[in-house]
């Protein structure tokens, strides 16, 4: 990716969705901002809740011609006719997901802060690799995906890379020349005005 190219937005849903409200909020965001892909990323393991959320989000996503992938659930991605799956276990499930979903599906892999996992996921057939969190966090052991990882990846590896987790305008400004996508989720959904919050972050991409 050259410095002249601006990263794209990879939108992540909140971990909990109020189905009477979220589709409207999502439509407002899609109506005002160019979004490359949406990831349904729910905390629940309740199959019925996931199915209903997927139906609601898919309807909005496809109305705006935006691809929709789902965290982890390869079987549900297939059953619901979604555009693909985002795997959270590095390279381990990439070959299986590709085999199940076919060549046309999007298969992405979250690889934490591990360069080697990212390379392995790419070799296994992932369409993109995600590293994070990039911002300060008290979750997990507090580890972060550092700027040097994205710098190295952008120079050495052709597979698209996503920066996600704890994003703010300053981090986006720094990483914009060396990442293909920013995975933006709770950074905007916690705001009273997600559209305005996203606009602030996208403005930072342009420096």
């Amino acid at each position: 990716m050259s410095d002249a190219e601006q990263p794209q937005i990879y939108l992540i849903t909140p971990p909990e969705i109020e189905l009477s409200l979220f589709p409207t909020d999502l439509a407002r965001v899609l109506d005002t901002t160019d979004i490359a892909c949406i990831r349904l990323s729910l905390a629940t393991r309740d199959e019925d809740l996931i199915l209903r959320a997927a139906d609601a989000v898919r309807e909005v996503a496809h109305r705006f011609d935006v691809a929709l992938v789902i965290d982890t659930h390869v079987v549900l991605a297939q059953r619901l006719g979604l555009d693909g799956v985002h795997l959270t276990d590095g390279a381990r499930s990439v070959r299986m997901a590709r085999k199940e979903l076919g060549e046309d599906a999007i298969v992405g892999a979250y690889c934490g802060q591990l360069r080697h996992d990212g390379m392995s996921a790419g070799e296994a057939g992932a369409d993109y690799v995600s590293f994070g969190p990039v911002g300060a966090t008290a979750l997990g052991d507090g580890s972060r995906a550092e700027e040097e990882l994205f710098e190295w990846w952008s120079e050495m590896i052709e597979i698209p890379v996503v920066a996600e987790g704890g994003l703010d305008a300053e981090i986006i400004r720094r990483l914009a020349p060396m990442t293909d996508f920013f995975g933006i989720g709770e950074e905007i959904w916690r705001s009273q005005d997600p559209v305005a919050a996203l606009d602030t972050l996208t403005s930072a991409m342009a420096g």
Side-chain angles (χ1 to χ4, degrees), residues 3-202:
D3 288 2
E5 292 178 315
Q6 188 162 303
Q8 295 177 278
I9 302 295
Y10 174 47
L11 196 64
I12 304 166
T13 67
E16 294 181 12
I17 286 177
E18 176 53 66
L19 285 177
S20 62
L21 300 172
F22 183 71
T24 302
D25 288 341
L26 178 61
R28 282 183 60 232
V29 169
L30 298 186
D31 197 36
T32 54
T33 311
D34 190 20
I35 302 295
C37 184
I38 300 168
R39 181 165 99 218
L40 184 64
S41 183
L42 301 180
T44 183
R45 290 294 173 263
D46 183 317
E47 186 177 330
D48 181 59
L49 273 178
I50 294 172
L51 290 172
R52 287 190 289 125
D55 281 342
V57 173
R58 181 184 55 199
E59 192 276 320
V60 178
H62 289 182
R63 192 191 328 151
F64 287 89
D65 199 27
V66 177
L68 174 63
V69 301
I70 188 171
D71 256 3
T72 308
H73 305 296
V74 174
V75 172
L76 288 183
Q78 202 167 30
R79 189 194 305 173
L80 295 168
L82 304 184
D83 297 288
V85 67
H86 173 83
L87 304 168
T88 55
D89 59 353
R92 283 190 286 279
S93 306
V94 172
R95 288 189 201 281
M96 175 276 294
R98 177 62 69 204
K99 184 179 173 195
E100 291 296 320
L101 298 177
E103 287 305 309
D104 292 336
I106 299 168
V107 176
Y110 175 73
C111 297
Q113 303 88 40
L114 302 174
R115 178 192 299 185
H116 180 265
D117 268 17
M119 293 168 67
S120 298
E123 288 163 6
D127 293 298
Y128 69 83
V129 165
S130 166
F131 293 118
V134 292
T137 177
L139 301 179
D141 62 2
S143 296
R144 293 167 64 166
E146 300 293 345
E147 192 172 318
E148 291 76 15
L149 172 58
F150 293 94
E151 191 170 19
W152 178 88
W153 190 275
S154 69
E155 290 173 0
M156 304 299 293
I157 309 290
E158 291 189 4
I159 296 159
V161 64
V162 181
E164 66 173 271
L167 289 163
D168 60 28
E170 178 54 37
I171 293 170
I172 285 176
R173 204 170 285 114
R174 286 205 317 270
L175 291 181
M178 58 191 84
T179 190
D180 301 287
F181 299 91
F182 283 110
I184 294 174
E186 294 222 72
E187 292 92 345
I188 67 165
W189 301 123
R190 324 185 257 264
S191 165
Q192 291 286 350
D193 187 346
V195 171
L198 184 55
D199 186 54
T200 299
L201 295 178
T202 53

